[in-house]
Amino acid sequence: MLFKIGSAVTPDPILDEVNNAQNVTEMRAAITNPQLGLDLTLFNSLSVTAQEIVLEELLTGRPDFGYLTVADLQAALDTAVNEVVDTENIRVRAGSTDGNGSIARPFGSITEGINAVAPGGTVHIGSGIYEVTTQINVNKTGITLLGEPGAEILLRAEIIPILITGSDVTVRGLTITSDIPYEREFIQIGAPNVKLIENTVFGPEQPPPMDNWVVNRAVVSQVNTQNVLLERNTFFSLRTGMYINPGTTGEIRDNVVYNTKGGFLVDRAFTTFVGNSWGTPPNEFDIVLLPGTTTEPPYDDIERLSQENNNANISDQR
């Protein structure tokens, strides 16, 4: 509601706190007043540092007579949020050019996002197809690659598209595939405390028999990789879901693997398995215990291992 005094239009009194705010602290308190009914979803997703930049913009950009309506304030807030570069929340969108990592101007490649994000921050990967011909090195500690719905990495070269060398990295919500079967894994883990959660990794269809399939794998851990977590991922149409190299530790839980020659290949590793399941068409084997793998825990009771993983078909080659 606008108020008119003489020939002048004055701001809605509900905006008094916003229009009287003198510093960032006062502006924060004013815009978070529930009576305003502002949509603060994107503002709340920003880091504290980026929020303070936005609040400062609301102060310095405030009209001489103040914000006249809540809609005016919402528009100013949305513009400031969309334009701020938040190094803890970098944005990427396929096909974008001349980006700076903000919502309004996202980067066009995942590598640009990784280069710009602060350690511990998140690269938000927008919907679209990201054609990869150069390896993406996820090399910053504690960062998250977060795929939004429809974010797909399409490998178009015989390389390992994602190499994780930063500790405490999380990769979540991505779809990863290739144009043809390449004899490479899609993700290689070379750092401790890596989490792969809710990703979908699949290869292009290959004609039977599976023994002749190109050795494409969803995930490979390097030797002695510690504390890997694979959770709620889906792997299919591959030679191998994950090849777990010697000395690897961690947990493989609640994943779905199908139409794959070997779901999980344990090569002298020590990962635990629980709650994994197997779709259709079935795998040749769900879990494979390769020669040299320990006969002690966690692989001492094959019947229990199978039961804890939805009656997994286990090939024990020890």
Side-chain angles (χ1 to χ4, degrees), residues 14-15 17-19 21 23-45 51-52 54-55 58 70 73-74 77:
I14 199 173
L15 293 166
E17 290 185 9
V18 172
N19 289 328
N23 54 51
V24 164
T25 300
E26 292 178 3
M27 182 59 82
R28 181 187 294 276
I31 72 166
T32 55
N33 183 344
Q35 291 182 345
L36 289 177
L38 290 175
D39 183 353
L40 299 173
T41 304
L42 289 177
F43 175 79
N44 290 335
S45 73
Q51 287 179 356
E52 290 181 348
V54 168
L55 294 168
L58 292 180
V70 173
L73 175 60
Q74 183 75 66
L77 174 64

PDB file of all heavy atoms in Angstrom, residues 14-15 17-19 21 23-45 51-52 54-55 58 70 73-74 77:
ATOM      1  N   ILE A  14       5.103  -0.393   6.881  1.00  0.00           N
ATOM      2  CA  ILE A  14       5.676  -1.703   7.225  1.00  0.00           C
ATOM      3  C   ILE A  14       7.160  -1.774   6.875  1.00  0.00           C
ATOM      4  O   ILE A  14       7.904  -2.608   7.390  1.00  0.00           O
ATOM      5  CB  ILE A  14       4.892  -2.839   6.530  1.00  0.00           C
ATOM      6  CG1 ILE A  14       5.166  -4.181   7.229  1.00  0.00           C
ATOM      7  CG2 ILE A  14       5.241  -2.927   5.049  1.00  0.00           C
ATOM      8  CD1 ILE A  14       4.317  -5.320   6.739  1.00  0.00           C
ATOM      9  N   LEU A  15       7.597  -0.854   6.002  1.00  0.00           N
ATOM     10  CA  LEU A  15       9.003  -0.816   5.574  1.00  0.00           C
ATOM     11  C   LEU A  15       9.845   0.150   6.402  1.00  0.00           C
ATOM     12  O   LEU A  15      11.002   0.406   6.059  1.00  0.00           O
ATOM     13  CB  LEU A  15       9.091  -0.436   4.099  1.00  0.00           C
ATOM     14  CG  LEU A  15       8.527  -1.469   3.119  1.00  0.00           C
ATOM     15  CD1 LEU A  15       8.341  -0.855   1.741  1.00  0.00           C
ATOM     16  CD2 LEU A  15       9.452  -2.670   3.039  1.00  0.00           C
ATOM     17  N   GLU A  17      11.417  -0.050   9.253  1.00  0.00           N
ATOM     18  CA  GLU A  17      12.694  -0.583   9.755  1.00  0.00           C
ATOM     19  C   GLU A  17      13.713  -0.725   8.635  1.00  0.00           C
ATOM     20  O   GLU A  17      14.902  -0.476   8.819  1.00  0.00           O
ATOM     21  CB  GLU A  17      12.468  -1.939  10.431  1.00  0.00           C
ATOM     22  CG  GLU A  17      11.723  -1.853  11.759  1.00  0.00           C
ATOM     23  CD  GLU A  17      11.644  -3.199  12.444  1.00  0.00           C
ATOM     24  OE1 GLU A  17      12.318  -4.157  11.976  1.00  0.00           O
ATOM     25  OE2 GLU A  17      10.908  -3.309  13.441  1.00  0.00           O
ATOM     26  N   VAL A  18      13.244  -1.137   7.457  1.00  0.00           N
ATOM     27  CA  VAL A  18      14.137  -1.271   6.303  1.00  0.00           C
ATOM     28  C   VAL A  18      14.661   0.091   5.879  1.00  0.00           C
ATOM     29  O   VAL A  18      15.864   0.280   5.629  1.00  0.00           O
ATOM     30  CB  VAL A  18      13.397  -1.946   5.130  1.00  0.00           C
ATOM     31  CG1 VAL A  18      14.252  -1.921   3.860  1.00  0.00           C
ATOM     32  CG2 VAL A  18      13.012  -3.370   5.490  1.00  0.00           C
ATOM     33  N   ASN A  19      13.787   1.059   5.823  1.00  0.00           N
ATOM     34  CA  ASN A  19      14.174   2.384   5.332  1.00  0.00           C
ATOM     35  C   ASN A  19      14.933   3.199   6.373  1.00  0.00           C
ATOM     36  O   ASN A  19      15.604   4.180   6.015  1.00  0.00           O
ATOM     37  CB  ASN A  19      12.934   3.137   4.855  1.00  0.00           C
ATOM     38  CG  ASN A  19      12.375   2.544   3.572  1.00  0.00           C
ATOM     39  OD1 ASN A  19      13.126   2.032   2.743  1.00  0.00           O
ATOM     40  ND2 ASN A  19      11.051   2.586   3.409  1.00  0.00           N
ATOM     41  N   ALA A  21      17.127   1.601   8.523  1.00  0.00           N
ATOM     42  CA  ALA A  21      18.344   0.852   8.869  1.00  0.00           C
ATOM     43  C   ALA A  21      19.590   1.653   8.516  1.00  0.00           C
ATOM     44  O   ALA A  21      19.682   2.237   7.434  1.00  0.00           O
ATOM     45  CB  ALA A  21      18.352  -0.490   8.148  1.00  0.00           C
ATOM     46  N   ASN A  23      22.916   0.305   9.187  1.00  0.00           N
ATOM     47  CA  ASN A  23      24.079  -0.565   8.980  1.00  0.00           C
ATOM     48  C   ASN A  23      23.596  -1.954   8.588  1.00  0.00           C
ATOM     49  O   ASN A  23      22.384  -2.243   8.561  1.00  0.00           O
ATOM     50  CB  ASN A  23      24.969  -0.608  10.233  1.00  0.00           C
ATOM     51  CG  ASN A  23      24.182  -0.987  11.479  1.00  0.00           C
ATOM     52  OD1 ASN A  23      23.452  -1.983  11.487  1.00  0.00           O
ATOM     53  ND2 ASN A  23      24.334  -0.195  12.542  1.00  0.00           N
ATOM     54  N   VAL A  24      24.546  -2.816   8.299  1.00  0.00           N
ATOM     55  CA  VAL A  24      24.226  -4.167   7.823  1.00  0.00           C
ATOM     56  C   VAL A  24      23.441  -4.951   8.865  1.00  0.00           C
ATOM     57  O   VAL A  24      22.488  -5.667   8.540  1.00  0.00           O
ATOM     58  CB  VAL A  24      25.525  -4.898   7.428  1.00  0.00           C
ATOM     59  CG1 VAL A  24      25.289  -6.395   7.299  1.00  0.00           C
ATOM     60  CG2 VAL A  24      26.085  -4.352   6.116  1.00  0.00           C
ATOM     61  N   THR A  25      23.806  -4.809  10.125  1.00  0.00           N
ATOM     62  CA  THR A  25      23.115  -5.547  11.185  1.00  0.00           C
ATOM     63  C   THR A  25      21.652  -5.148  11.264  1.00  0.00           C
ATOM     64  O   THR A  25      20.758  -6.001  11.368  1.00  0.00           O
ATOM     65  CB  THR A  25      23.801  -5.303  12.538  1.00  0.00           C
ATOM     66  OG1 THR A  25      25.162  -5.754  12.462  1.00  0.00           O
ATOM     67  CG2 THR A  25      23.083  -6.048  13.652  1.00  0.00           C
ATOM     68  N   GLU A  26      21.392  -3.852  11.198  1.00  0.00           N
ATOM     69  CA  GLU A  26      20.012  -3.379  11.252  1.00  0.00           C
ATOM     70  C   GLU A  26      19.237  -3.783  10.002  1.00  0.00           C
ATOM     71  O   GLU A  26      18.050  -4.144  10.086  1.00  0.00           O
ATOM     72  CB  GLU A  26      19.988  -1.862  11.434  1.00  0.00           C
ATOM     73  CG  GLU A  26      20.499  -1.407  12.800  1.00  0.00           C
ATOM     74  CD  GLU A  26      20.505   0.105  12.945  1.00  0.00           C
ATOM     75  OE1 GLU A  26      20.066   0.808  12.005  1.00  0.00           O
ATOM     76  OE2 GLU A  26      20.938   0.586  14.009  1.00  0.00           O
ATOM     77  N   MET A  27      19.891  -3.754   8.836  1.00  0.00           N
ATOM     78  CA  MET A  27      19.208  -4.149   7.611  1.00  0.00           C
ATOM     79  C   MET A  27      18.875  -5.641   7.631  1.00  0.00           C
ATOM     80  O   MET A  27      17.796  -6.053   7.190  1.00  0.00           O
ATOM     81  CB  MET A  27      20.051  -3.807   6.388  1.00  0.00           C
ATOM     82  CG  MET A  27      19.389  -4.137   5.049  1.00  0.00           C
ATOM     83  SD  MET A  27      17.799  -3.292   4.787  1.00  0.00           S
ATOM     84  CE  MET A  27      18.390  -1.676   4.217  1.00  0.00           C
ATOM     85  N   ARG A  28      19.776  -6.459   8.158  1.00  0.00           N
ATOM     86  CA  ARG A  28      19.502  -7.897   8.259  1.00  0.00           C
ATOM     87  C   ARG A  28      18.260  -8.133   9.126  1.00  0.00           C
ATOM     88  O   ARG A  28      17.367  -8.901   8.774  1.00  0.00           O
ATOM     89  CB  ARG A  28      20.708  -8.634   8.840  1.00  0.00           C
ATOM     90  CG  ARG A  28      20.497 -10.147   8.952  1.00  0.00           C
ATOM     91  CD  ARG A  28      21.651 -10.814   9.680  1.00  0.00           C
ATOM     92  NE  ARG A  28      22.879 -10.730   8.922  1.00  0.00           N
ATOM     93  CZ  ARG A  28      23.223 -11.573   7.951  1.00  0.00           C
ATOM     94  NH1 ARG A  28      22.401 -12.574   7.622  1.00  0.00           N
ATOM     95  NH2 ARG A  28      24.369 -11.436   7.322  1.00  0.00           N
ATOM     96  N   ALA A  29      18.214  -7.489  10.272  1.00  0.00           N
ATOM     97  CA  ALA A  29      17.066  -7.658  11.169  1.00  0.00           C
ATOM     98  C   ALA A  29      15.781  -7.188  10.494  1.00  0.00           C
ATOM     99  O   ALA A  29      14.724  -7.807  10.653  1.00  0.00           O
ATOM    100  CB  ALA A  29      17.303  -6.893  12.471  1.00  0.00           C
ATOM    101  N   ALA A  30      15.882  -6.119   9.705  1.00  0.00           N
ATOM    102  CA  ALA A  30      14.684  -5.551   9.081  1.00  0.00           C
ATOM    103  C   ALA A  30      14.124  -6.460   7.999  1.00  0.00           C
ATOM    104  O   ALA A  30      12.914  -6.709   7.951  1.00  0.00           O
ATOM    105  CB  ALA A  30      15.008  -4.171   8.511  1.00  0.00           C
ATOM    106  N   ILE A  31      14.981  -6.971   7.114  1.00  0.00           N
ATOM    107  CA  ILE A  31      14.450  -7.749   5.982  1.00  0.00           C
ATOM    108  C   ILE A  31      14.014  -9.142   6.405  1.00  0.00           C
ATOM    109  O   ILE A  31      13.247  -9.799   5.693  1.00  0.00           O
ATOM    110  CB  ILE A  31      15.451  -7.845   4.813  1.00  0.00           C
ATOM    111  CG1 ILE A  31      16.626  -8.770   5.154  1.00  0.00           C
ATOM    112  CG2 ILE A  31      15.909  -6.473   4.353  1.00  0.00           C
ATOM    113  CD1 ILE A  31      17.446  -9.170   3.940  1.00  0.00           C
ATOM    114  N   THR A  32      14.484  -9.608   7.548  1.00  0.00           N
ATOM    115  CA  THR A  32      14.078 -10.939   8.014  1.00  0.00           C
ATOM    116  C   THR A  32      12.838 -10.872   8.900  1.00  0.00           C
ATOM    117  O   THR A  32      12.423 -11.903   9.450  1.00  0.00           O
ATOM    118  CB  THR A  32      15.226 -11.631   8.771  1.00  0.00           C
ATOM    119  OG1 THR A  32      15.680 -10.780   9.837  1.00  0.00           O
ATOM    120  CG2 THR A  32      16.391 -11.926   7.832  1.00  0.00           C
ATOM    121  N   ASN A  33      12.242  -9.709   9.022  1.00  0.00           N
ATOM    122  CA  ASN A  33      10.986  -9.576   9.754  1.00  0.00           C
ATOM    123  C   ASN A  33       9.897 -10.356   9.014  1.00  0.00           C
ATOM    124  O   ASN A  33       9.568 -10.049   7.864  1.00  0.00           O
ATOM    125  CB  ASN A  33      10.600  -8.098   9.852  1.00  0.00           C
ATOM    126  CG  ASN A  33       9.341  -7.880  10.664  1.00  0.00           C
ATOM    127  OD1 ASN A  33       8.572  -8.805  10.933  1.00  0.00           O
ATOM    128  ND2 ASN A  33       9.115  -6.645  11.073  1.00  0.00           N
ATOM    129  N   PRO A  34       9.315 -11.364   9.635  1.00  0.00           N
ATOM    130  CA  PRO A  34       8.320 -12.188   8.936  1.00  0.00           C
ATOM    131  C   PRO A  34       7.126 -11.392   8.410  1.00  0.00           C
ATOM    132  O   PRO A  34       6.467 -11.820   7.454  1.00  0.00           O
ATOM    133  CB  PRO A  34       7.875 -13.190  10.016  1.00  0.00           C
ATOM    134  CG  PRO A  34       8.987 -13.222  11.006  1.00  0.00           C
ATOM    135  CD  PRO A  34       9.569 -11.840  11.007  1.00  0.00           C
ATOM    136  N   GLN A  35       6.819 -10.235   9.022  1.00  0.00           N
ATOM    137  CA  GLN A  35       5.668  -9.450   8.587  1.00  0.00           C
ATOM    138  C   GLN A  35       5.828  -8.928   7.156  1.00  0.00           C
ATOM    139  O   GLN A  35       4.837  -8.660   6.471  1.00  0.00           O
ATOM    140  CB  GLN A  35       5.440  -8.270   9.538  1.00  0.00           C
ATOM    141  CG  GLN A  35       4.971  -8.694  10.922  1.00  0.00           C
ATOM    142  CD  GLN A  35       4.713  -7.505  11.834  1.00  0.00           C
ATOM    143  OE1 GLN A  35       5.139  -6.382  11.551  1.00  0.00           O
ATOM    144  NE2 GLN A  35       4.013  -7.755  12.927  1.00  0.00           N
ATOM    145  N   LEU A  36       7.077  -8.807   6.688  1.00  0.00           N
ATOM    146  CA  LEU A  36       7.295  -8.352   5.322  1.00  0.00           C
ATOM    147  C   LEU A  36       6.908  -9.414   4.302  1.00  0.00           C
ATOM    148  O   LEU A  36       6.508  -9.107   3.186  1.00  0.00           O
ATOM    149  CB  LEU A  36       8.761  -7.959   5.109  1.00  0.00           C
ATOM    150  CG  LEU A  36       9.252  -6.688   5.787  1.00  0.00           C
ATOM    151  CD1 LEU A  36      10.741  -6.496   5.513  1.00  0.00           C
ATOM    152  CD2 LEU A  36       8.468  -5.476   5.299  1.00  0.00           C
ATOM    153  N   GLY A  37       7.089 -10.668   4.659  1.00  0.00           N
ATOM    154  CA  GLY A  37       6.759 -11.748   3.748  1.00  0.00           C
ATOM    155  C   GLY A  37       7.709 -11.870   2.571  1.00  0.00           C
ATOM    156  O   GLY A  37       7.316 -12.363   1.502  1.00  0.00           O
ATOM    157  N   LEU A  38       8.957 -11.445   2.747  1.00  0.00           N
ATOM    158  CA  LEU A  38       9.929 -11.545   1.655  1.00  0.00           C
ATOM    159  C   LEU A  38      10.297 -13.000   1.386  1.00  0.00           C
ATOM    160  O   LEU A  38      10.338 -13.830   2.302  1.00  0.00           O
ATOM    161  CB  LEU A  38      11.202 -10.767   1.997  1.00  0.00           C
ATOM    162  CG  LEU A  38      11.117  -9.242   2.023  1.00  0.00           C
ATOM    163  CD1 LEU A  38      12.448  -8.660   2.498  1.00  0.00           C
ATOM    164  CD2 LEU A  38      10.762  -8.676   0.659  1.00  0.00           C
ATOM    165  N   ASP A  39      10.593 -13.312   0.126  1.00  0.00           N
ATOM    166  CA  ASP A  39      11.145 -14.624  -0.232  1.00  0.00           C
ATOM    167  C   ASP A  39      12.647 -14.543  -0.035  1.00  0.00           C
ATOM    168  O   ASP A  39      13.366 -13.919  -0.816  1.00  0.00           O
ATOM    169  CB  ASP A  39      10.812 -14.960  -1.686  1.00  0.00           C
ATOM    170  CG  ASP A  39      11.296 -16.348  -2.073  1.00  0.00           C
ATOM    171  OD1 ASP A  39      12.002 -16.993  -1.270  1.00  0.00           O
ATOM    172  OD2 ASP A  39      10.991 -16.785  -3.197  1.00  0.00           O
ATOM    173  N   LEU A  40      13.136 -15.184   1.007  1.00  0.00           N
ATOM    174  CA  LEU A  40      14.557 -15.127   1.373  1.00  0.00           C
ATOM    175  C   LEU A  40      15.286 -16.416   1.026  1.00  0.00           C
ATOM    176  O   LEU A  40      16.399 -16.636   1.508  1.00  0.00           O
ATOM    177  CB  LEU A  40      14.692 -14.843   2.875  1.00  0.00           C
ATOM    178  CG  LEU A  40      14.100 -13.524   3.371  1.00  0.00           C
ATOM    179  CD1 LEU A  40      14.158 -13.464   4.891  1.00  0.00           C
ATOM    180  CD2 LEU A  40      14.839 -12.336   2.761  1.00  0.00           C
ATOM    181  N   THR A  41      14.680 -17.253   0.194  1.00  0.00           N
ATOM    182  CA  THR A  41      15.266 -18.570  -0.085  1.00  0.00           C
ATOM    183  C   THR A  41      16.688 -18.458  -0.622  1.00  0.00           C
ATOM    184  O   THR A  41      17.619 -19.086  -0.079  1.00  0.00           O
ATOM    185  CB  THR A  41      14.390 -19.343  -1.089  1.00  0.00           C
ATOM    186  OG1 THR A  41      13.062 -19.436  -0.583  1.00  0.00           O
ATOM    187  CG2 THR A  41      14.954 -20.740  -1.309  1.00  0.00           C
ATOM    188  N   LEU A  42      16.888 -17.702  -1.681  1.00  0.00           N
ATOM    189  CA  LEU A  42      18.222 -17.578  -2.265  1.00  0.00           C
ATOM    190  C   LEU A  42      19.150 -16.790  -1.350  1.00  0.00           C
ATOM    191  O   LEU A  42      20.339 -17.110  -1.241  1.00  0.00           O
ATOM    192  CB  LEU A  42      18.146 -16.934  -3.644  1.00  0.00           C
ATOM    193  CG  LEU A  42      17.548 -17.811  -4.748  1.00  0.00           C
ATOM    194  CD1 LEU A  42      17.461 -17.036  -6.053  1.00  0.00           C
ATOM    195  CD2 LEU A  42      18.388 -19.065  -4.944  1.00  0.00           C
ATOM    196  N   PHE A  43      18.644 -15.772  -0.697  1.00  0.00           N
ATOM    197  CA  PHE A  43      19.470 -15.011   0.250  1.00  0.00           C
ATOM    198  C   PHE A  43      20.006 -15.929   1.340  1.00  0.00           C
ATOM    199  O   PHE A  43      21.189 -15.889   1.686  1.00  0.00           O
ATOM    200  CB  PHE A  43      18.655 -13.870   0.859  1.00  0.00           C
ATOM    201  CG  PHE A  43      19.373 -13.098   1.925  1.00  0.00           C
ATOM    202  CD1 PHE A  43      20.307 -12.134   1.596  1.00  0.00           C
ATOM    203  CD2 PHE A  43      19.125 -13.353   3.278  1.00  0.00           C
ATOM    204  CE1 PHE A  43      20.987 -11.422   2.589  1.00  0.00           C
ATOM    205  CE2 PHE A  43      19.796 -12.655   4.268  1.00  0.00           C
ATOM    206  CZ  PHE A  43      20.726 -11.682   3.929  1.00  0.00           C
ATOM    207  N   ASN A  44      19.139 -16.775   1.887  1.00  0.00           N
ATOM    208  CA  ASN A  44      19.566 -17.676   2.960  1.00  0.00           C
ATOM    209  C   ASN A  44      20.552 -18.728   2.486  1.00  0.00           C
ATOM    210  O   ASN A  44      21.280 -19.302   3.297  1.00  0.00           O
ATOM    211  CB  ASN A  44      18.349 -18.352   3.587  1.00  0.00           C
ATOM    212  CG  ASN A  44      17.503 -17.381   4.399  1.00  0.00           C
ATOM    213  OD1 ASN A  44      17.993 -16.365   4.879  1.00  0.00           O
ATOM    214  ND2 ASN A  44      16.219 -17.684   4.543  1.00  0.00           N
ATOM    215  N   SER A  45      20.592 -19.005   1.181  1.00  0.00           N
ATOM    216  CA  SER A  45      21.525 -20.003   0.654  1.00  0.00           C
ATOM    217  C   SER A  45      22.937 -19.451   0.513  1.00  0.00           C
ATOM    218  O   SER A  45      23.881 -20.215   0.291  1.00  0.00           O
ATOM    219  CB  SER A  45      21.037 -20.522  -0.706  1.00  0.00           C
ATOM    220  OG  SER A  45      21.210 -19.541  -1.717  1.00  0.00           O
ATOM    221  N   GLN A  51      26.035 -12.597   2.038  1.00  0.00           N
ATOM    222  CA  GLN A  51      24.838 -11.934   2.556  1.00  0.00           C
ATOM    223  C   GLN A  51      25.137 -10.497   2.958  1.00  0.00           C
ATOM    224  O   GLN A  51      24.335  -9.582   2.702  1.00  0.00           O
ATOM    225  CB  GLN A  51      24.282 -12.705   3.749  1.00  0.00           C
ATOM    226  CG  GLN A  51      23.609 -14.018   3.396  1.00  0.00           C
ATOM    227  CD  GLN A  51      23.093 -14.738   4.619  1.00  0.00           C
ATOM    228  OE1 GLN A  51      23.292 -14.301   5.754  1.00  0.00           O
ATOM    229  NE2 GLN A  51      22.416 -15.866   4.403  1.00  0.00           N
ATOM    230  N   GLU A  52      26.284 -10.284   3.577  1.00  0.00           N
ATOM    231  CA  GLU A  52      26.631  -8.926   4.014  1.00  0.00           C
ATOM    232  C   GLU A  52      26.856  -8.001   2.822  1.00  0.00           C
ATOM    233  O   GLU A  52      26.523  -6.813   2.881  1.00  0.00           O
ATOM    234  CB  GLU A  52      27.864  -8.967   4.915  1.00  0.00           C
ATOM    235  CG  GLU A  52      27.567  -9.617   6.262  1.00  0.00           C
ATOM    236  CD  GLU A  52      28.776  -9.659   7.183  1.00  0.00           C
ATOM    237  OE1 GLU A  52      29.899  -9.392   6.693  1.00  0.00           O
ATOM    238  OE2 GLU A  52      28.593  -9.960   8.377  1.00  0.00           O
ATOM    239  N   VAL A  54      25.221  -8.273   0.005  1.00  0.00           N
ATOM    240  CA  VAL A  54      23.857  -7.994  -0.453  1.00  0.00           C
ATOM    241  C   VAL A  54      23.203  -6.943   0.438  1.00  0.00           C
ATOM    242  O   VAL A  54      22.561  -5.990  -0.042  1.00  0.00           O
ATOM    243  CB  VAL A  54      23.024  -9.287  -0.469  1.00  0.00           C
ATOM    244  CG1 VAL A  54      21.538  -8.984  -0.656  1.00  0.00           C
ATOM    245  CG2 VAL A  54      23.520 -10.221  -1.563  1.00  0.00           C
ATOM    246  N   LEU A  55      23.346  -7.083   1.743  1.00  0.00           N
ATOM    247  CA  LEU A  55      22.745  -6.128   2.675  1.00  0.00           C
ATOM    248  C   LEU A  55      23.325  -4.731   2.488  1.00  0.00           C
ATOM    249  O   LEU A  55      22.595  -3.727   2.560  1.00  0.00           O
ATOM    250  CB  LEU A  55      22.955  -6.612   4.111  1.00  0.00           C
ATOM    251  CG  LEU A  55      22.222  -7.905   4.475  1.00  0.00           C
ATOM    252  CD1 LEU A  55      22.735  -8.453   5.799  1.00  0.00           C
ATOM    253  CD2 LEU A  55      20.718  -7.688   4.536  1.00  0.00           C
ATOM    254  N   LEU A  58      21.686  -3.188  -0.451  1.00  0.00           N
ATOM    255  CA  LEU A  58      20.352  -2.667  -0.129  1.00  0.00           C
ATOM    256  C   LEU A  58      20.438  -1.319   0.568  1.00  0.00           C
ATOM    257  O   LEU A  58      19.575  -0.447   0.363  1.00  0.00           O
ATOM    258  CB  LEU A  58      19.592  -3.666   0.749  1.00  0.00           C
ATOM    259  CG  LEU A  58      19.183  -4.992   0.112  1.00  0.00           C
ATOM    260  CD1 LEU A  58      18.430  -5.860   1.119  1.00  0.00           C
ATOM    261  CD2 LEU A  58      18.337  -4.776  -1.136  1.00  0.00           C
ATOM    262  N   VAL A  70       6.849  -3.406  -0.579  1.00  0.00           N
ATOM    263  CA  VAL A  70       7.551  -4.662  -0.344  1.00  0.00           C
ATOM    264  C   VAL A  70       8.015  -5.253  -1.674  1.00  0.00           C
ATOM    265  O   VAL A  70       9.100  -5.836  -1.765  1.00  0.00           O
ATOM    266  CB  VAL A  70       6.653  -5.652   0.421  1.00  0.00           C
ATOM    267  CG1 VAL A  70       7.320  -7.024   0.513  1.00  0.00           C
ATOM    268  CG2 VAL A  70       6.346  -5.127   1.809  1.00  0.00           C
ATOM    269  N   LEU A  73      11.243  -3.675  -2.637  1.00  0.00           N
ATOM    270  CA  LEU A  73      12.334  -4.240  -1.831  1.00  0.00           C
ATOM    271  C   LEU A  73      12.702  -5.639  -2.314  1.00  0.00           C
ATOM    272  O   LEU A  73      13.883  -5.972  -2.430  1.00  0.00           O
ATOM    273  CB  LEU A  73      11.922  -4.285  -0.361  1.00  0.00           C
ATOM    274  CG  LEU A  73      12.905  -4.960   0.598  1.00  0.00           C
ATOM    275  CD1 LEU A  73      14.262  -4.264   0.583  1.00  0.00           C
ATOM    276  CD2 LEU A  73      12.331  -5.010   2.019  1.00  0.00           C
ATOM    277  N   GLN A  74      11.691  -6.466  -2.624  1.00  0.00           N
ATOM    278  CA  GLN A  74      11.960  -7.821  -3.117  1.00  0.00           C
ATOM    279  C   GLN A  74      12.752  -7.778  -4.412  1.00  0.00           C
ATOM    280  O   GLN A  74      13.704  -8.550  -4.597  1.00  0.00           O
ATOM    281  CB  GLN A  74      10.654  -8.577  -3.327  1.00  0.00           C
ATOM    282  CG  GLN A  74      10.828 -10.022  -3.783  1.00  0.00           C
ATOM    283  CD  GLN A  74      11.284 -10.945  -2.673  1.00  0.00           C
ATOM    284  OE1 GLN A  74      10.548 -11.174  -1.716  1.00  0.00           O
ATOM    285  NE2 GLN A  74      12.493 -11.494  -2.796  1.00  0.00           N
ATOM    286  N   LEU A  77      16.316  -6.838  -3.632  1.00  0.00           N
ATOM    287  CA  LEU A  77      16.984  -7.968  -2.980  1.00  0.00           C
ATOM    288  C   LEU A  77      17.345  -9.034  -4.003  1.00  0.00           C
ATOM    289  O   LEU A  77      18.484  -9.541  -4.006  1.00  0.00           O
ATOM    290  CB  LEU A  77      16.065  -8.554  -1.907  1.00  0.00           C
ATOM    291  CG  LEU A  77      16.549  -9.836  -1.221  1.00  0.00           C
ATOM    292  CD1 LEU A  77      17.824  -9.584  -0.444  1.00  0.00           C
ATOM    293  CD2 LEU A  77      15.459 -10.398  -0.308  1.00  0.00           C
TER     294      LEU A  77
END
